[in-house]
Amino acid sequence: MNIRKPLITFVFLALGLIIVGSVAGQNAQPNRSEAIQLQSIPSIHLKAGTFTPALDQTLDLPQTLTTQRAIDANSEAYYIVQFSGPISAEWKASLKQLGGSLHGYIPDYAYKVKLTGRQAAAAADLDGVIWAGIFARAYRLAPDLKQGGLNLYRIRLEGGVDVTAVAQTINNLGATVYKQDGNFLMVAANSFQVDSIAHILDVAWI
């Protein structure tokens, strides 16, 4: 009799462990599925670094480089608009229908687009779009950019812009434009002037 009672107790304990293990296995499956879904969310790959904005990730850059000037609903700026996968003709067309202009593909599944603040808000709601955010000033600066003193910089402007007007704006900042070749400018500037040049709307890369 003393043997039967421990045996019964052991059987109930074993059954309990099986049930608990079964429930735990069922609960683990959605977590695994969720992890797979998270892994499938595309990242943004820039020269400044790689991040996944759809997961609220940001680049680890100095705040002085990532702080943006306020953009109202009617002001234009450059944005990154990222889709959930390979960009279909319909998705691309819907982006153009907003009135924005496309300025190059960004991996993965994104475009750099010139939009007003109002258009950017509408772009975020388009089918297939998982994230739309400002193309930060920091993304325009080469990682090995020379700082301090007077240096010569090669500046690329966005396509289709008034290069002469941008060159004049740069000269007005106190920098000196020495050469213009298509949408490229050779500019002598100090660090403070470069910071101001990076804020010029149609400057794409320094």
Side-chain angles (χ1 to χ4, degrees), residues 76-160:
E76 288 186 319
Y78 288 91
Y79 291 83
I80 298 174
V81 180
Q82 187 181 36
F83 293 84
S84 58
I87 303 171
S88 67
E90 291 78 11
W91 286 353
K92 190 174 178 179
S94 66
L95 196 54
K96 290 182 177 179
Q97 286 172 2
L98 292 177
S101 56
L102 276 58
H103 290 260
Y105 175 81
I106 296 175
D108 290 328
Y109 314 131
Y111 273 103
K112 184 180 184 182
V113 190
K114 191 175 186 180
L115 300 161
T116 65
R118 182 177 289 105
Q119 290 168 339
D125 291 330
L126 291 176
D127 287 343
V129 172
I130 59 173
W131 182 76
I134 197 75
F135 191 89
R137 177 170 56 96
Y139 306 160
R140 306 177 180 189
L141 304 175
D144 58 350
L145 195 72
K146 291 182 180 180
Q147 299 290 341
L150 191 67
N151 293 289
L152 193 62
Y153 298 94
R154 189 167 185 258
I155 298 175
R156 179 172 63 85
L157 307 183
E158 298 289 354

Side-chain angles (χ1 to χ4, degrees), residues 38 41-42 51-60 82 130-132:
L38 290 177
I41 295 176
F51 64 114
T52 309
L55 296 179
D56 293 327
Q57 291 182 7
T58 58
L59 286 178
D60 185 17
Q82 187 181 36
I130 59 173
W131 182 76

Side-chain angles (χ1 to χ4, degrees), residues 28-38:
Q29 188 61 32
N31 291 337
R32 181 174 180 274
S33 176
E34 183 179 349
I36 292 173
Q37 290 177 1
L38 290 177

Side-chain angles (χ1 to χ4, degrees), residues 2-21:
N2 291 333
I3 295 174
R4 184 178 297 177
K5 187 174 180 180
L7 180 60
I8 293 172
T9 302
F10 173 78
V11 170
F12 276 105
L13 286 173
L15 287 172
L17 289 173
I18 291 172
I19 293 171
V20 170

